[in-house]
Amino acid sequence: HTIPSGGNFAMTSLSLNNVNLTLAPGSAPNLAVIDINGSTLTSEDSRTFSNLTLRGDGRLSVASGSAVEVTGTFEWSAGTVTRDGRLIIASGGVANLTTTAGKFLDGVFENRGTTNYTGTALLFGRDAGNLPARIENAAGGVFIVDGEGDFSPNFGSGTYRIDNAGTFIKRGAGTTTIVNNPVFFGSTGTVTVESGELRFNGGSSLGGAVGGAGVLTFFSGSHTIPSGGNFAMTSLSLNN
């Protein structure tokens, strides 16, 4: 299905079930709420939605150089954010990453609001290796991992990254969150291990502020604590 440019598509919400839908540039200007269930939504230009749901192994595809911004709530229980484009959680917006189903990132997930990762299986590189998949937690953004949520490669790449300029929080007593090789974790913001364990199995650079009552582990790879930061952890675990 295609909604072409130049029409008068005035719907404000859509539900997609096992279909492919392309939004041509400038089409459907009133569209604000989309539920992508086992479907592919392709946006050929930048768009803003108030609420977006990605589930049932659905796919969100955004044209290269364009972005989809969510100002309200993004519910991601399964599916893929494909390469080239950018998904932005706006300041004041909320993203909920839930369930044990695969949530695949091939493009860029930028958080300016609050992201709650309470599920598992956030995977980099669905369709191929060497994709520029990354998470950008912008200044002012809060990214919370509550539970066993990991960050892992599906296909390998030396470009997978988590870049934190905001606040990254690990919580969940008795749980372990692993940033698996080759996903690199770089922080110039704040990292707080409130409880549980945050483990880096790949490379990292922890500038800014680092602290909390939980456990921070460097398991393998090369890691740097730069000058000028506020590394307040009282204990470290170094393995291999």
Side-chain angles (χ1 to χ4, degrees), residues 200 206-211 216 218 224-226 228-236:
F200 297 115
L206 300 181
V210 182
L216 180 63
F218 296 130
T224 303
I225 300 173
N230 181 18
F231 192 90
M233 301 295 295
T234 59
S235 65
L236 276 178

Side-chain angles (χ1 to χ4, degrees), residues 115-232:
T115 292
N116 300 299
Y117 181 18
T118 58
T120 59
L122 183 52
L123 301 165
F124 290 69
R126 172 70 180 272
D127 293 334
N130 297 315
L131 296 176
R134 66 186 184 274
I135 295 171
E136 297 178 359
N137 193 40
V142 179
F143 197 111
I144 302 167
V145 184
D146 191 347
E148 296 279 358
D150 294 334
F151 304 86
S152 302
N154 184 55
F155 286 107
S157 172
T159 60
Y160 298 155
R161 297 182 61 91
I162 301 171
D163 290 318
N164 174 52
T167 300
F168 185 96
I169 299 172
K170 161 62 185 171
R171 63 173 59 136
T175 66
T176 300
T177 288
I178 303 174
V179 181
N180 281 296
N181 186 51
V183 181
F184 183 88
F185 188 99
S187 180
T188 57
T190 298
V191 175
T192 302
V193 188
E194 291 184 353
S195 55
E197 178 186 358
L198 177 60
R199 182 187 303 172
F200 297 115
N201 280 7
S204 69
S205 177
L206 300 181
V210 182
V215 177
L216 180 63
T217 300
F218 296 130
F219 194 82
S220 61
S222 297
H223 308 272
T224 303
I225 300 173
S227 304
N230 181 18
F231 192 90

Side-chain angles (χ1 to χ4, degrees), residues 50-136:
S50 58
N51 294 300
L52 178 65
T53 298
L54 185 59
R55 59 192 177 106
D57 204 23
R59 297 173 69 89
L60 174 64
S61 180
V62 186
S64 178
S66 298
V68 164
E69 184 171 18
V70 179
T71 59
T73 303
F74 173 51
E75 298 287 350
W76 191 7
S77 60
T80 304
V81 176
T82 66
R83 63 177 301 165
D84 296 328
R86 179 180 291 263
L87 173 64
I88 300 171
I89 308 304
S91 177
V94 175
N96 296 312
L97 282 53
T98 60
T99 82
T100 59
K103 290 162 283 291
F104 295 92
L105 183 61
D106 284 356
V108 178
F109 179 90
E110 180 183 348
N111 178 53
R112 303 175 184 173
T114 300
T115 292
N116 300 299
Y117 181 18
T118 58
T120 59
L122 183 52
L123 301 165
F124 290 69
R126 172 70 180 272
D127 293 334
N130 297 315
L131 296 176
R134 66 186 184 274
I135 295 171
E136 297 178 359

